[in-house]
């Protein structure tokens, strides 16, 4: 079986095995990994909750922020591995708010602790 089929089977099985938040897109590519999932949720609290749900289904989790060059949007992502070892990156996009991301200049990427997602999952929480 080729690598693409292995990745396709792995993400299909993972999506079937868990009740995961809605995805806007899933990118499976045989030449590069990880499998990339873009969430179909809006707002910081919803993105944080969705990433927390995904984090409970993956191993070796890490989290990252990326403020786009235009400065208006921030990608919040987690990376990890499915139980069968396939790498996955899951992300959502939120509007940049200086009170939430005070030390994140336009174009910057920054690792973050996964536990911050818990604070953001409740509306009204701020400060990265």
């Amino acid at each position: 079986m080729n690598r693409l089929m292995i990745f396709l089977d792995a993400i299909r099985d993972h999506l079937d095995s868990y009740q995961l938040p809605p995805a806007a897109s899933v990118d499976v590519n045989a030449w590069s990994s990880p499998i990339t999932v873009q969430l179909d949720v809006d707002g910081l609290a919803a993105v944080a909750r969705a990433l927390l749900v995904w984090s409970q289904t993956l191993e070796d989790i890490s989290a990252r922020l990326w403020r786009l060059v235009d400065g208006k949007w921030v990608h919040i992502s987690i990376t990890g591995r499915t139980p069968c070892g396939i790498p996955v990156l899951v992300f959502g996009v939120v509007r940049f708010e200086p009170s939430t991301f005070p030390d994140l200049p336009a174009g910057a990427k920054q690792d973050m602790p996964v536990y911050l997602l818990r604070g953001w999952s409740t509306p009204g929480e701020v400060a990265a």
Side-chain angles (χ1 to χ4, degrees), residues 34-85:
I35 293 172
T36 303
V37 178
Q38 181 175 357
L39 297 169
D40 188 19
V41 295
D42 293 319
L44 180 61
V47 168
R49 280 192 300 272
L51 290 172
L52 283 170
V53 170
W54 269 92
S55 73
Q56 295 168 4
T57 71
L58 300 172
E59 301 169 357
D60 301 323
I61 301 298
S62 62
R64 182 166 231 203
L65 299 171
W66 171 31
R67 185 172 172 198
L68 301 181
V69 175
D70 72 4
K72 296 178 184 177
W73 301 98
V74 176
H75 282 210
I76 305 173
S77 64
I78 60 167
T79 56
R81 295 187 175 279
T82 63
C84 67

Side-chain angles (χ1 to χ4, degrees), residues 48 52 55 61-63 78 112-121 127-128:
L52 283 170
S55 73
I61 301 298
S62 62
I78 60 167
M112 64 173 252
V114 176
Y115 72 79
L116 282 178
L117 295 171
R118 284 184 185 77
W120 292 336
S121 67

Side-chain angles (χ1 to χ4, degrees), residues 92-125:
V93 181
V94 300
R95 279 206 166 278
F96 172 75
E97 293 292 336
S99 61
T100 305
F101 309 104
D103 299 319
L104 190 63
K109 294 181 181 182
Q110 176 179 324
D111 292 335
M112 64 173 252
V114 176
Y115 72 79
L116 282 178
L117 295 171
R118 284 184 185 77
W120 292 336
S121 67
T122 305
E125 296 293 321

